[in-house]
Amino acid sequence: MWPLFGRVWALLAVVLGLAITLVFHMRNVHALAVWLRDPAPSKVPIGSGVWEHVFSALYRHVHATFQQQHRLTGALTRFRSAAQAMPDGVVVLDAENHITWCNAAAERLLGLDARKDAGQPILNLVRHPDFAAHVKRASDDALLVMRMSGPQELVLSIRVVPYAQDEKLLLARDVTQAERLDTMRRDFVANVSHELKTPLTVVSGFLETFAEGNVRPDEPRGRQALELMRSQTDRMLRLIEDLLVLSALESSALPAHETAFDVERLLRALVEEARMLSAGRHRVELVTGRPAKVVGDERELASAFGNLVTNAVRYTPPGGSIELAWDLHDGEGRFSVADTGIGIAAHHLPRLTERFYRADTSRSRDTGGTGLGLAIVKHVLTRHQGRLEIDSEPGRGSRFTAVLPARRVRPATAAQPQPTLEKLTRS
Ligand code: ADP
């Protein structure tokens, strides 16, 4: 009887042991199942016995994965921020040229919308005759220069760089300014060549006539030819002098010799110059307001003001009048030259200070104009933080005003003579 009883107890003890073990494992499996629903490394369950090893191994693995993920996310965020901050447009394209991602500069330059256009084929969004072929070719050493249509002039240089498997990086750079400078440089060289070629052709033609013995320098036709050759060489010299002045102005940003000089002395010299040039053909007046000293490069300002005066004489038919005036307005110094000459149509005004721009081509050349006078005036005034204002009406005349900022003008002190309005008139 006892042996049977003993065996039942033993069996019960085994069953109980198994049940306890099962409950222990079930609890840990449950903890694991709960954790799997939100598998954060900090929430990995803490087990005991064999589960302690399982959970701590799990913790190490999950923690390492989490850390790596964190590092990758950080790297990706930093990479995107860097790409976002780039002044060039960056577009990531997939194998079918669909937009995967683009930065703010690409949105602005190519007219894309990073959120709405993600997944869209770029060839449907950027329309340009050569763009599709360029994207499809995807060669990293080929550049496409595209002129975009729109309210503002925009020139883009596009490079498409293939990477990974069939993916592409499209880089768009705004080259509007560089293109404009390049065009200006080319136009400048073409203009200078043209300006020099015309008088040189005249001179060489006459020299050939003399060389062939068809005309002698001492006969009337010869003297006339010599006179024409002289005027053409003068024209070339004037052009080269103006070019040298412009290049000197461009080689330094600031005036070289700044002094505080008496503006009235300069004005009187300019009036004399105008009268000499006019040779009695115009009425030339000087109107001076409040006396002042101007702080700046006297030679540069004299040459700029002189160009305005020379133009007034050249573009005013005989019998007209020219008025030089100086005054202070809100502290600014204003030197103006008004004439009753041919005037300028409004559409020419914005371009008048460009090199070689002429409103009246034939008259400018006839009067020996180089086409650089107002470009020099603008340069000099800009170097003195000033500006040029132009008022003009065809057939009625023009007023060119050189405005100097208040900090460059020192009104006469009380010890000096009181401001007077002086008019010097001579016909
Ligand atoms: P230019 O040597 O041809 O006179 P400028 O740069 O001095 O070159 O002037 C540019 C153009 O502006 C001239 O070609 C002329 O058409 C116009 N212009 C300048 N000053 C006057 C003026 N006082 N009256 C009429 N037109 C003027």
Side-chain angles (χ1 to χ4, degrees):
M1 172 121 180
W2 273 110
L4 180 66
F5 200 64
R7 258 186 254 141
V8 170
W9 272 110
L11 194 64
L12 271 175
V14 168
V15 169
L16 190 64
L18 281 175
I20 289 169
T21 310
L22 192 65
V23 169
F24 168 73
H25 287 301
M26 285 305 291
R27 273 188 57 199
N28 282 297
V29 168
H30 176 72
L32 182 63
V34 170
W35 175 80
L36 280 172
R37 270 186 245 138
D38 175 20
S42 59
K43 292 184 184 164
V44 173
I46 301 166
S48 55
V50 66
W51 284 97
E52 189 183 343
H53 297 291
V54 172
F55 286 145
S56 55
L58 187 65
Y59 174 80
R60 280 197 300 279
H61 177 72
V62 170
H63 186 70
T65 311
F66 187 80
Q67 291 268 304
Q68 196 181 7
Q69 212 174 32
H70 192 68
R71 273 200 301 276
L72 282 175
T73 313
L76 191 67
T77 311
R78 281 199 302 281
F79 170 76
R80 286 212 165 167
S81 311
Q84 196 63 267
M86 272 175 74
D88 290 350
V90 180
V91 187
V92 179
L93 298 173
D94 68 12
E96 273 77 45
N97 298 322
H98 292 156
I99 299 171
T100 306
W101 181 83
C102 73
N103 69 354
E107 290 186 286
R108 183 170 44 82
L109 297 174
L110 296 165
L112 301 174
D113 183 319
R115 262 196 279 169
K116 274 198 242 150
D117 297 335
Q120 298 292 321
I122 194 160
L123 302 184
N124 289 355
L125 301 170
V126 179
R127 299 284 191 175
H128 186 273
D130 305 320
F131 183 72
H134 187 67
V135 172
K136 284 178 193 155
R137 179 149 48 106
S139 151
D140 47 7
D141 53 358
L143 268 183
L144 169 70
V145 175
M146 287 196 325
R147 235 162 253 283
M148 305 294 281
S149 49
Q152 274 186 348
E153 188 196 1
L154 182 63
V155 186
L156 298 180
S157 122
I158 306 283
R159 188 188 289 273
V160 183
V161 186
Y163 75 100
Q165 282 179 340
D166 279 347
E167 284 186 274
K168 291 165 199 159
L169 204 59
L170 185 146
L171 303 167
R173 174 167 292 182
D174 183 353
V175 291
T176 316
Q177 189 62 10
E179 277 285 303
R180 208 176 289 153
L181 286 177
D182 206 38
T183 311
M184 269 172 67
R185 186 188 54 75
R186 265 182 310 208
D187 288 354
F188 181 69
V189 173
N191 277 322
V192 172
S193 315
H194 177 75
E195 295 288 334
L196 285 174
K197 194 177 167 197
T198 317
L200 267 177
T201 312
V202 175
V203 172
S204 97
F206 283 132
L207 283 176
E208 213 173 289
T209 320
F210 283 126
E212 284 165 0
N214 297 338
V215 183
R216 285 205 333 268
D218 54 354
E219 62 180 89
R221 268 198 317 144
R223 277 197 292 278
Q224 207 184 356
L226 281 175
E227 185 48 38
L228 271 167
M229 282 164 71
R230 199 182 58 81
S231 76
Q232 294 301 322
T233 41
D234 280 353
R235 187 173 149 190
M236 286 188 277
L237 273 176
R238 266 197 309 277
L239 175 65
I240 287 165
E241 269 162 25
D242 277 359
L243 284 171
L244 288 173
V245 170
L246 260 184
S247 112
L249 289 174
E250 278 170 354
S251 61
S252 74
L254 293 171
H257 308 287
E258 294 215 18
T259 52
F261 62 90
D262 186 8
V263 84
E264 205 160 322
R265 182 165 43 85
L266 173 62
L267 297 178
R268 287 179 193 279
L270 289 171
V271 160
E272 285 315 310
E273 196 180 314
R275 284 180 181 144
M276 250 174 59
L277 266 174
S278 161
R281 285 170 298 145
H282 311 93
R283 235 161 66 97
V284 181
E285 291 180 358
L286 171 65
V287 181
T288 53
R290 217 172 144 188
K293 280 195 185 299
V294 163
V295 181
D297 189 317
E298 187 172 357
R299 259 184 51 196
E300 281 187 16
L301 287 166
S303 121
F305 293 177
N307 278 343
L308 297 181
V309 172
T310 316
N311 278 353
V313 175
R314 285 169 45 221
Y315 295 106
T316 304
S321 44
I322 295 162
E323 184 190 271
L324 279 65
W326 165 261
D327 212 348
L328 303 180
H329 280 284
D330 298 331
E332 291 182 329
R334 297 174 69 87
F335 168 71
S336 67
V337 183
D339 62 54
T340 55
I342 58 170
I344 307 156
H347 67 273
H348 291 300
L349 297 183
R351 299 194 56 193
L352 227 49
T353 55
E354 285 176 22
R355 298 156 180 191
F356 298 114
Y357 188 86
R358 291 170 166 112
D360 185 332
T361 323
S362 55
R363 185 181 284 256
S364 163
R365 294 225 170 83
D366 287 351
T367 56
T370 61
L372 296 173
L374 292 181
I376 293 175
V377 174
K378 188 185 167 185
H379 251 292
V380 170
L381 290 176
T382 308
R383 285 155 70 82
H384 287 81
Q385 300 78 43
R387 62 183 189 278
L388 179 66
E389 292 177 358
I390 310 172
D391 268 317
S392 190
E393 214 180 305
R396 296 187 71 94
S398 318
R399 178 186 293 275
F400 287 76
T401 309
V403 186
L404 291 168
R407 65 190 171 87
R408 288 201 171 268
V409 183
R410 293 187 190 154
T413 54
Q416 287 174 284
Q418 281 305 301
T420 50
L421 185 75
E422 183 201 352
K423 260 194 170 193
L424 298 170
T425 313
R426 201 198 292 172
S427 303

